[in-house]
Amino acid sequence: MRLHRLDITAFGPFGGSQSVDFDALSAAGLFLLHGPTGAGKTSVLDAVCYALYGSVPGARQSGQGMNLRSDHAEPRTRTEVRLDLTVSGRRLEITRQPPWERPKLRGTGTTVDKAQTWLREYDATAGAWKDRSRSHQEIGEEITQLLGMSREQFCQVVLLPQGDFARFLRADAETRGRLLGRLFDTRRFADVEKRLAERRRATEARVREGDAALLADAHRMQQEAGDAMELPEPVPGDPGLADAVLGAAAVARATARERLTVAHCRLAAAETAHAETRRALDDVRELARLQGRFTEARRRAERLQERSGAHHEAQRRMERARKAEAVAPALELREAAEEEHRRATAAETRTRGLLPGSYADAGTAGLASAARRAAEELGGLDAARRAERRLAELTEERSGLDRQERADDDVLREAEGWLAEWDTTRAALQSRVDSAQEAATRAEQLAVQRDPMRRRLDAARTRDELAADLEDAQRRALAAGQRTLDARTHWLDLKEQRLTGIAAELAAHLIAGRPCAVCGATEHPAPARKVAGHVDRETEEQALAAYQRAEEQHTEDERRLGVVREALAAATAEAGDTPTAQLEEAAAELEQEYARARRDASVLHAAHEELRRAEREREQRLADRQQAAVRTASRLTRRETLEREQAQLEAELTKARGGSGSVAARAAQLERQVTLLTDAADAARTAEDAAQRLKDADARLADAAYRAGFDTPQAAAAALLDAAAHRELQHRLDAWQTEEAAVRAMLAEADAAAAAQRPPADPAAAERTAAAAEHRLREAASARDAAERCCAELDRLSLQAAQAVRRLAPLRAEHDRVARLAALTAGTSADNERKMRLESYVLAARLEQVAAAATARLQRMSSGRYTLVHSDDRSGRGRSGLGLHVVDAWTGRERDTATLSGGETFFASLALALGLADVVTDEAGGVRLDTLFIDEGFGSLDDQTLDEVLDVLDSLRERDRSVGIVSHVPDLRRRIHAQLEVVKGRSGSVLRERGV
């Protein structure tokens, strides 16, 4: 990281805008930042840190936001810090503005503006700055990533605070560990310790959970085995728990198998006794069933005897119904004939009512004859119907010919009228086409003239602007020349005055006892005194700088004047001497004429299309006129033919219509008459046939009733049964026969008759005996099942316990391994002899590197006397690894750093700070730190030690580093030529660069 430039506005003690050119200061490798106490030396370092991280170092962190603002700043001047630096090969510019309270733009009072941040990057290819981000968070993350250091590390490594390192040099191990932990970010090692401790607790919990599950299985086995298993009371985590559980499980399983054998024997005896009682119960139940069956048969026989009378009556009713079934077809036939006769008589009466009165008494033959005569007359009207339809077609065709004639007349009139105007229409359309074509040609000619006119007008306007700029540039150049001449005269006058009073300036540095720089004398009896109006070197240098600035401004104004003159000459050559207003008027007139020509030419295509459409319409109208004439000639011939045919058809139809209005009306009248006569004849014939069939059905019914044994047909009809009554009666007869057969069969059974002779059976006593045997069998089976379940459950739980033991083995091994590692990293293990935690061990290695890097510089600062060494000695609560001692080469003994004197402590802590900076830089990923700052502490050194310390700092230039020393020690101003002075005053501090 190399700093190039720092711009500060209204920050800390600086009321105005101040700039620091670090490139110029760093050219010498070593530069001094000095000034009186309270002037703001440390504020320059605060500005660098604030630009990078948005906050200031250490104890000054409370100075954030509006507290960073200078009390000397104008109310409307905003606080701003801008830093230009190169890091990781990228040239960046960071600008930060903290929140500030400003006066309101309108009205009274104040308002607070939010903080703002900008990040820009210089693009060497494009040669310009490019914006990258305006987000506080994004900029902070990118700067931290590029530097590879947090703000605390940056403040310890780049802004070396000597007081902090003096405390670090004398601190105890705990304090030293906290500082090193922040610098080297050893949180990951502390996280490793924490992670191992968490894993130890987790694996221990898993082992205890496994042991608890194993104990739960053991307790379940004990519940199953009862007094057959004795289980000790081991604690979860005990290594002997698995063997104790597996051994007790084996004993319980053996005892359970013995109990299962006894249960099997008892079950076999109970099954034998149960089978004997079941056989006895079956015998008693069979005897009771036979005795009950014989008794039930006797009761059913008695009930049949009581219902025998009703059964004989039902048999006689069924017999008469079977005889009546022979008469049923004749009855059905007679009923059908009677129904048909009623319908036919009603139909005949209805149809005769529709006929005229002349046919009321006509018979069937008369009605049929009248229907035939009407049908013959209707058939003779077919030809007349065709003639009537043809006459209608002829009339419609003549109407169509009339319509066509009228349409053709309209076409002819319209075509003749349009064609009479054709010559005039064509001439007008052609004139439009010619006019549009001329306008298009004129527009093309004007388009060629537009661009030159525009360029000339632009050049005229530029010419007028440059003429005004030329006068202003001439005035500026003359004024700058006069200012340059006045500044040079003022500088030469001051230089002459200074040369005159140089003796007084030399005498101001004379000290009694020290040789004079001019004559070498050590006594100075009468040194020259400054008189009024004496000019010192600083005043002369300020006048020279003012003259140089004036001369640079005069050169710049002369260059601008030449550029304006060249541009004015080029514009005049393009525009000529014509006034701009005249050119604008000519250009406007040209644009208007061009727009009119474009507008007139825009109708060219439409005019061409309209002319082509008119020509196509003329051709169409000529064709329409010719076709209309042809159709007119053909219509005359067709009309004569139609008139002759129409006269002939009308004569025929007059004869065929008779008294009706038309042939169709006459035909409809005859069709209705034929239909009515035919229907009446059919109805009369049907009624006669139905009456004959009814007479025949009566004769057959009387004959069938007599043969079936009935006196009258009515008696036969009364004896008939419908389907439901027949089924019900037949069902009663069938049920009687079935019951009678079943009773006879039951009374004829020999077993039932023999059983009835024996004493009554007692099934209840036999069932009680069988139930007792069954209860004993269930108890034996339950005991056997319980023994089997106990054995199966013990086998399952034993297998589950064995599997749990196998699963616990790697968990227990992992827990032992993790526990050893956790104890080792935590420093509590016996293997960790020095009781060092992992984080302390890493920090000890880093401290050893820091001590080695610091020793290389400490030996030069102390002329080879002192060496810093790292110590692993224990300190406080038995921990070790962060001790730091100094070895004195004069005595050859190692002693505590607290025994160093004030000056020795300073250069020892400085060497330690530089060594720590090198190690932290390497740890951060090799980011080059080309600019370092050392804050105070040099006042405690003697001249020789100060020279040695400065030699060490000057040697940093070998690594292309520049070191800024922050100090108010006067002797450093003589030794370090490149200086940045902070001058304080009532209106705020200012920065001055010297020797660069």
Side-chain angles (χ1 to χ4, degrees):
M1 180 196 71
R2 178 179 293 278
L3 305 182
H4 298 294
R5 184 179 180 86
L6 175 67
D7 295 322
I8 306 172
T9 301
F11 183 86
F14 305 103
S17 297
Q18 304 293 323
S19 298
V20 181
D21 188 353
F22 284 111
D23 286 336
L25 292 172
S26 301
L30 195 64
F31 63 90
L32 177 66
L33 175 59
H34 69 92
T37 301
K41 300 186 294 298
T42 306
S43 295
V44 176
L45 308 185
D46 291 348
V48 173
C49 185
Y50 180 72
L52 291 174
Y53 294 97
S55 59
V56 295
R60 298 185 295 279
Q61 289 185 34
S62 60
Q64 300 298 305
M66 291 180 286
N67 294 329
L68 295 176
R69 180 172 175 77
S70 174
D71 295 332
H72 303 285
E74 293 294 331
R76 296 190 178 276
T77 301
R78 178 153 191 178
T79 303
E80 181 180 274
V81 176
R82 181 182 292 110
L83 179 63
D84 180 5
L85 75 159
T86 297
V87 58
S88 298
R90 296 172 61 184
R91 183 75 175 266
L92 303 176
E93 182 187 82
I94 310 169
T95 303
R96 291 189 187 270
Q97 294 179 349
W100 73 305
E101 187 176 3
R102 62 169 177 81
K104 293 183 178 179
L105 298 178
R106 294 182 179 85
T108 60
T110 60
T111 185
V112 177
D113 284 351
K114 296 181 179 180
Q116 298 187 34
T117 307
W118 294 271
L119 176 64
R120 300 198 304 167
E121 183 174 0
Y122 185 75
D123 188 348
T125 304
W129 291 92
K130 293 186 177 180
D131 293 334
R132 291 303 181 196
S133 177
R134 296 193 64 172
S135 169
H136 301 287
Q137 184 176 0
E138 290 180 0
I139 295 173
E141 291 176 355
E142 184 164 3
I143 294 300
T144 302
Q145 183 177 3
L146 290 174
L147 291 176
M149 292 181 286
S150 64
R151 181 179 60 83
E152 291 77 9
Q153 290 175 314
F154 178 83
C155 295
Q156 291 288 345
V157 173
V158 179
L159 311 179
L160 303 180
Q162 293 307 309
D164 288 352
F165 276 91
R167 287 191 295 272
F168 176 76
L169 186 68
R170 294 178 173 143
D172 57 14
E174 194 68 25
T175 304
R176 193 173 290 141
R178 284 196 299 270
L179 177 60
L180 292 175
R182 289 197 306 269
L183 292 178
F184 291 105
D185 192 16
T186 56
R187 288 175 299 178
R188 58 186 183 278
F189 300 104
D191 291 342
V192 170
E193 298 178 23
K194 182 179 178 181
R195 177 60 178 163
L196 286 173
E198 291 175 353
R199 286 194 60 188
R200 179 189 62 192
R201 290 191 294 271
T203 54
E204 182 179 2
R206 290 169 63 188
V207 169
R208 287 184 174 274
E209 288 176 0
D211 287 348
L214 185 60
L215 278 175
D217 291 341
H219 289 148
R220 285 196 292 271
M221 285 190 285
Q222 189 177 29
Q223 291 174 358
E224 290 291 338
D227 56 359
M229 180 176 178
E230 294 182 0
L231 184 66
E233 292 297 333
V235 179
D238 187 352
L241 175 63
D243 294 337
V245 170
L246 293 179
V251 173
R253 290 170 62 196
T255 304
R257 284 190 174 83
E258 292 178 358
R259 292 179 176 177
L260 178 60
T261 302
V262 173
H264 276 296
C265 294
R266 291 178 178 175
L267 178 60
E271 287 175 347
T272 301
H274 179 261
E276 293 176 354
T277 57
R278 290 298 299 178
R279 284 193 296 272
L281 176 61
D282 292 340
D283 293 342
V284 172
R285 284 177 175 173
E286 179 62 18
L287 178 60
R289 184 186 69 81
L290 293 174
Q291 291 176 346
R293 182 177 178 80
F294 188 80
T295 303
E296 178 64 21
R298 297 286 293 272
R299 284 197 302 269
R300 289 168 67 182
E302 293 173 358
R303 286 197 298 270
L304 286 175
Q305 185 63 33
E306 293 173 356
R307 299 198 308 268
S308 60
H311 174 64
H312 294 317
E313 179 61 26
Q315 285 179 333
R316 287 192 296 272
R317 181 77 177 88
M318 180 61 71
E319 183 65 26
R320 287 178 59 81
R322 288 195 182 97
K323 292 179 180 180
E325 287 178 358
V327 185
L331 286 171
E332 293 175 0
L333 182 60
R334 199 270 175 190
E335 291 176 356
E338 186 177 10
E339 178 63 26
E340 183 180 359
H341 179 263
R342 283 196 301 271
R343 287 198 301 271
T345 302
E348 180 184 8
T349 303
R350 186 172 59 256
T351 55
R352 283 183 178 274
L354 297 175
L355 294 175
S358 58
Y359 297 104
D361 297 329
T364 303
L367 293 174
S369 176
R372 284 194 298 272
R373 288 195 300 271
E376 291 173 358
E377 185 180 357
L378 179 62
L381 292 178
D382 289 342
R385 286 190 213 180
R386 290 193 296 271
E388 190 174 42
R389 287 195 296 270
R390 176 58 182 164
L391 182 60
E393 293 174 357
L394 293 176
T395 303
E396 180 64 26
E397 186 175 357
R398 288 193 63 184
S399 299
L401 290 175
D402 293 339
R403 289 193 298 272
Q404 291 178 5
E405 184 175 5
R406 288 193 297 271
D408 286 343
D409 290 342
D410 294 340
V411 170
L412 287 172
R413 283 195 302 274
E414 185 177 356
E416 291 295 341
W418 193 90
L419 291 173
E421 300 292 334
W422 164 244
D423 293 336
T424 303
T425 302
R426 186 180 185 283
L429 293 175
Q430 186 62 46
S431 176
R432 289 183 59 192
V433 171
D434 296 340
S435 299
Q437 185 64 52
E438 293 175 0
T441 304
R442 187 167 65 256
E444 293 177 357
Q445 295 172 353
L446 293 174
V448 176
Q449 302 174 13
R450 290 173 67 221
D451 290 341
M453 177 58 73
R454 288 177 178 174
R455 290 195 297 271
R456 189 177 179 189
L457 178 59
D458 293 341
R461 291 170 177 167
T462 305
R463 177 196 64 194
D464 295 344
E465 294 175 357
L466 291 176
D469 293 343
L470 179 62
E471 296 177 359
D472 184 63
Q474 288 175 343
R475 288 194 300 271
R476 288 177 179 272
L478 289 174
Q482 184 61 41
R483 287 194 299 272
T484 302
L485 182 60
D486 294 343
R488 186 173 185 279
T489 301
H490 180 62
W491 168 59
L492 292 176
D493 291 343
L494 292 178
K495 183 175 183 181
E496 184 177 357
Q497 294 178 20
R498 182 174 179 275
L499 292 175
T500 303
I502 195 67
E505 185 175 346
L506 293 173
H509 296 285
L510 294 177
I511 300 174
R514 291 189 180 182
C516 176
V518 179
C519 63
T522 58
E523 296 181 359
H524 317 293
R529 302 294 181 183
K530 290 184 180 180
V531 297
H534 174 70
V535 177
D536 56 10
R537 181 178 180 181
E538 182 177 358
T539 304
E540 179 193 353
E541 289 178 350
Q542 291 177 350
L544 175 60
Y547 162 63
Q548 291 173 346
R549 289 193 298 271
E551 187 174 17
E552 291 175 357
Q553 184 63 41
H554 179 244
T555 303
E556 177 64 21
D557 291 342
E558 288 290 342
R559 184 189 64 78
R560 291 179 180 175
L561 179 60
V563 170
V564 172
R565 283 174 176 168
E566 292 177 0
L568 178 61
T572 303
E574 178 72 23
D577 298 331
T578 305
T580 304
Q582 184 177 348
L583 289 176
E584 289 177 346
E585 183 178 355
E589 183 178 355
L590 178 61
E591 289 292 337
Q592 292 176 0
E593 187 176 357
Y594 174 73
R596 285 195 299 272
R598 287 288 302 275
R599 186 170 59 252
D600 294 341
S602 63
V603 300
L604 177 60
H605 178 73
H608 274 298
E609 288 296 323
E610 189 173 358
L611 178 58
R612 283 193 290 270
R613 285 196 300 270
E615 291 175 347
R616 288 194 297 270
E617 186 175 359
R618 175 178 175 273
E619 295 175 357
Q620 182 63 39
R621 289 184 181 274
L622 289 173
D624 291 344
R625 186 175 64 178
Q626 183 178 0
Q627 292 173 2
V630 173
R631 288 195 298 271
T632 300
S634 64
R635 274 197 304 272
L636 291 175
T637 304
R638 180 60 179 168
R639 183 178 283 110
E640 293 175 356
T641 304
L642 292 177
E643 288 176 351
R644 287 193 301 271
E645 186 178 359
Q646 185 176 8
Q648 182 181 357
L649 290 175
E650 286 178 350
E652 295 177 0
L653 289 175
T654 300
K655 181 180 179 181
R657 289 191 190 105
S660 300
S662 64
V663 175
R666 178 58 179 165
Q669 181 182 0
L670 290 175
E671 286 177 354
R672 286 195 299 273
Q673 186 175 355
V674 169
T675 301
L676 292 175
L677 290 172
T678 302
D679 292 342
D682 292 341
R685 190 181 299 108
T686 302
E688 292 175 357
D689 294 342
Q692 183 62 39
R693 284 194 293 274
L694 177 60
K695 184 177 179 181
D696 295 341
D698 286 338
R700 283 194 295 272
L701 176 60
D703 183 62
Y706 176 77
R707 286 196 300 269
F710 293 100
D711 296 335
T712 62
Q714 291 75 17
L720 280 175
L721 294 176
D722 59 13
H726 187 277
R727 285 195 301 273
E728 194 275 334
L729 184 59
Q730 185 64 47
H731 176 71
R732 286 164 55 193
L733 295 174
D734 293 342
W736 174 274
Q737 293 176 357
T738 301
E739 179 68 9
E740 184 180 20
V743 169
R744 288 176 180 175
M746 292 171 62
L747 292 175
E749 291 178 358
D751 293 340
Q757 302 300 321
R758 297 175 60 182
D762 189 3
E767 287 177 356
R768 287 193 294 273
T769 302
E774 185 176 1
H775 177 68
R776 289 191 295 273
L777 175 63
R778 284 197 300 271
E779 288 181 346
S782 297
R784 189 273 316 271
D785 294 340
E788 288 181 347
R789 283 196 303 273
C790 180
C791 289
E793 186 64 15
L794 288 176
D795 291 341
R796 185 185 67 80
L797 292 174
S798 297
L799 178 60
Q800 183 174 326
Q803 293 173 348
V805 169
R806 287 193 295 272
R807 287 194 303 270
L808 276 174
L811 290 178
R812 197 179 299 279
E814 181 185 4
H815 169 64
D816 294 341
R817 182 174 64 257
V818 171
R820 287 196 302 272
L821 286 175
L824 183 64
T825 56
T828 59
S829 173
D831 298 333
N832 192 337
E833 297 179 357
R834 297 186 180 276
K835 304 299 181 183
M836 292 178 64
R837 293 171 49 224
L838 177 61
E839 185 181 12
S840 300
Y841 176 78
V842 174
L843 292 177
R846 293 292 186 265
L847 183 60
E848 189 173 2
Q849 296 174 358
V850 171
T855 296
R857 295 185 175 91
L858 179 60
Q859 287 182 340
R860 291 185 58 184
M861 294 180 185
S862 63
S863 300
R865 178 178 179 183
Y866 293 115
T867 301
L868 280 175
V869 294
H870 164 252
S871 174
D872 286 336
D873 293 341
R874 297 182 182 180
S875 62
R877 294 188 298 176
R879 300 298 174 90
S880 62
L882 295 178
L884 196 63
H885 292 168
V886 62
V887 177
D888 190 347
W890 288 3
T891 63
R893 302 189 63 178
E894 180 178 319
R895 56 192 174 97
D896 194 274
T897 54
T899 61
L900 295 174
S901 65
E904 292 172 342
T905 299
F906 167 71
F907 62 70
S909 61
L910 176 60
L912 185 63
L914 294 175
L916 185 62
D918 291 341
V919 176
V920 171
T921 300
D922 296 338
E923 176 71 14
V927 177
R928 289 183 55 82
L929 300 177
D930 299 320
T931 306
L932 301 176
F933 294 92
I934 301 175
D935 192 358
E936 293 297 345
F938 292 90
S940 60
L941 303 179
D942 56 47
D943 291 343
Q944 180 179 356
T945 305
L946 181 60
D947 288 338
E948 292 172 348
V949 170
L950 292 179
D951 288 343
V952 171
L953 295 178
D954 192 54
S955 67
L956 295 177
R957 286 186 297 176
E958 298 174 0
R959 300 182 63 178
D960 196 21
R961 284 184 176 178
S962 60
V963 180
I965 297 177
V966 183
S967 178
H968 51 71
V969 176
D971 198 26
L972 289 176
R973 303 177 198 172
R974 177 179 58 81
R975 297 171 181 265
I976 302 174
H977 300 288
Q979 300 177 11
L980 177 64
E981 182 180 7
V982 184
V983 181
K984 67 178 179 179
R986 290 184 176 273
S987 59
S989 299
V990 296
L991 297 174
R992 296 177 181 174
E993 296 180 6
R994 297 181 179 277
V996 297

